[in-house]
Amino acid sequence: MKAKIVRDIVSLCFAAILVLSLTGCDPTAGATEYEVIYPSGYSRDPYAYDERSPIEGSSCYLQWEEADDYKKTYDYDIQLLDEKGSVLYGYPDVGSKAMRGIMQEDGKAWVCAEHWTAPHHNGYVEGGLKESDLLLIDLDGGEILFQDRAGEDEFYITSNGTRCYFYLPGKEEREKLFGLIKIPAENAVIYYRDTSDWAQEHMVYTFDYVTEPAIDTSDGVLTRIRFYLSEDQLKVAWTSYEAVGNGHWEYLEKKAYEIKLAENAFQ
């Protein structure tokens, strides 16, 4: 009897190891990908590993560098470079390997350093965003005019003046106390935070879906949300990576939402 119990335990352990090996221990396997596409044509997705990234609307760049105590903290510094690659300013312990910037009026720029936990990707996978550092920097002197953080799954899209816009994926219906309490599902949304009241979420748009819209992705192997930024609006397009013939694959658009934001949102 004891021998059978031991054999059963060994079998269960082996099955668990096999499942983990097949999934690659990747908690985000099969999750929706994100891509942000700027008016200049520059984009960021899970496979962008550029050491430098442009600040949209300017000639400056962002570059990450390991912090002095990196081996202990795994922190990164932000370096702000001019068009020739010379370091203008440095900001310790707030950088990451996934950074984006966008120019504002009066020589200011918003910089977002995203901290992801998505294995095998450089971020941009739904469910893998831990938090983000947001900084408003005066490019004339390097002064940080504002600094705060966005929380788990708050995906930064763009900024307009003192406003920062985020996409938050929905949540499916949940249960507590063994099903006695049901927490209703929450649809995906876009909202902004303002420097004057950063803790407050100002709703801009509520989508008609929780996890994804009613689209057919049966022929695809990956689903990706593309965020297209234009002068005064945002286009959110759901796409599916599918075969299009002759051995070629493309992201085919399945459904798109056009959302009006404040005027001159992407200067």
Side-chain angles (χ1 to χ4, degrees), residues 236-249:
V236 181
W238 277 81
T239 67
S240 177
Y241 193 57
E242 301 180 8
V244 293
N246 297 323
H248 297 293
W249 290 71

Side-chain angles (χ1 to χ4, degrees), residues 45-73:
D45 66 14
Y47 311 103
Y49 287 90
D50 304 333
E51 187 176 343
R52 297 179 182 180
S53 57
I55 295 179
E56 180 74 13
S58 81
S59 59
C60 296
Y61 291 82
L62 299 169
Q63 178 174 275
W64 57 265
E65 185 173 88
E66 293 181 357
D68 292 339
D69 57 351
Y70 175 78
K71 292 184 178 180
K72 183 183 295 184
T73 64

Side-chain angles (χ1 to χ4, degrees), residues 3 22 29 31 35-36 72 77 84 89 100 107 109 126-127 133 144 152 155 168 257:
L22 291 173
E35 181 180 7
V36 181
K72 183 183 295 184
D77 299 341
K84 297 180 180 179
Y89 316 110
R100 289 180 284 137
E126 190 167 283
D133 285 289
I144 297 177
E152 185 176 8
F155 182 64
L168 186 69
Y257 304 80

Side-chain angles (χ1 to χ4, degrees), residues 76-120:
Y76 292 91
D77 299 341
I78 295 175
Q79 290 186 336
L80 204 154
L81 314 178
D82 63 15
E83 58 186 346
K84 297 180 180 179
S86 300
V87 177
L88 295 175
Y89 316 110
Y91 307 94
D93 304 325
V94 291
S96 76
K97 287 190 173 182
M99 294 192 293
R100 289 180 284 137
I102 188 163
M103 193 69 184
Q104 305 293 290
E105 295 179 342
D106 304 324
K108 303 179 181 67
W110 276 101
V111 172
C112 178
E114 301 158 336
H115 306 285
W116 296 86
T117 58
H120 316 304

Side-chain angles (χ1 to χ4, degrees), residues 102 104 110 134 156-161 163-165 265-267:
I102 188 163
Q104 305 293 290
W110 276 101
L134 277 297
Y156 171 72
I157 303 172
T158 190
S159 297
N160 176 32
R163 297 178 179 180
C164 290
Y165 291 85
F266 309 114
Q267 289 189 4

Side-chain angles (χ1 to χ4, degrees), residues 31-224:
T32 299
E33 296 180 349
Y34 295 158
E35 181 180 7
V36 181
I37 303 171
Y38 289 93
S40 66
Y42 176 74
S43 67
R44 295 286 301 194
D45 66 14
Y47 311 103
Y49 287 90
D50 304 333
E51 187 176 343
R52 297 179 182 180
S53 57
I55 295 179
E56 180 74 13
S58 81
S59 59
C60 296
Y61 291 82
L62 299 169
Q63 178 174 275
W64 57 265
E65 185 173 88
E66 293 181 357
D68 292 339
D69 57 351
Y70 175 78
K71 292 184 178 180
K72 183 183 295 184
T73 64
Y74 299 103
D75 287 338
Y76 292 91
D77 299 341
I78 295 175
Q79 290 186 336
L80 204 154
L81 314 178
D82 63 15
E83 58 186 346
K84 297 180 180 179
S86 300
V87 177
L88 295 175
Y89 316 110
Y91 307 94
D93 304 325
V94 291
S96 76
K97 287 190 173 182
M99 294 192 293
R100 289 180 284 137
I102 188 163
M103 193 69 184
Q104 305 293 290
E105 295 179 342
D106 304 324
K108 303 179 181 67
W110 276 101
V111 172
C112 178
E114 301 158 336
H115 306 285
W116 296 86
T117 58
H120 316 304
H121 303 84
N122 192 24
Y124 299 85
V125 180
E126 190 167 283
L129 181 56
K130 181 180 178 182
E131 62 184 7
S132 302
D133 285 289
L134 277 297
L135 300 88
L136 180 60
I137 298 174
D138 183 352
L139 297 189
D140 291 332
E143 179 186 0
I144 297 177
L145 305 175
F146 177 83
Q147 181 176 352
D148 214 313
R149 287 185 170 179
E152 185 176 8
D153 293 332
E154 287 187 272
F155 182 64
Y156 171 72
I157 303 172
T158 190
S159 297
N160 176 32
T162 58
R163 297 178 179 180
C164 290
Y165 291 85
F166 300 90
Y167 172 81
L168 186 69
K171 296 180 180 179
E172 296 181 322
E173 184 181 76
R174 291 150 288 161
E175 295 182 351
K176 285 188 176 181
L177 296 177
F178 306 101
L180 295 176
I181 299 177
K182 292 186 181 296
I183 303 174
E186 300 175 22
N187 284 24
V189 295
I190 287 177
Y191 54 80
Y192 71 84
R193 295 185 184 277
D194 193 281
T195 57
S196 62
D197 57 347
W198 190 255
Q200 184 66 40
E201 299 173 4
H202 301 271
M203 199 61 58
V204 174
Y205 192 88
T206 300
F207 292 92
D208 58 359
Y209 62 84
V210 175
T211 56
E212 64 179 51
I215 53 178
D216 181 11
T217 59
S218 57
D219 294 327
V221 296
L222 287 173
T223 304
R224 173 176 290 194

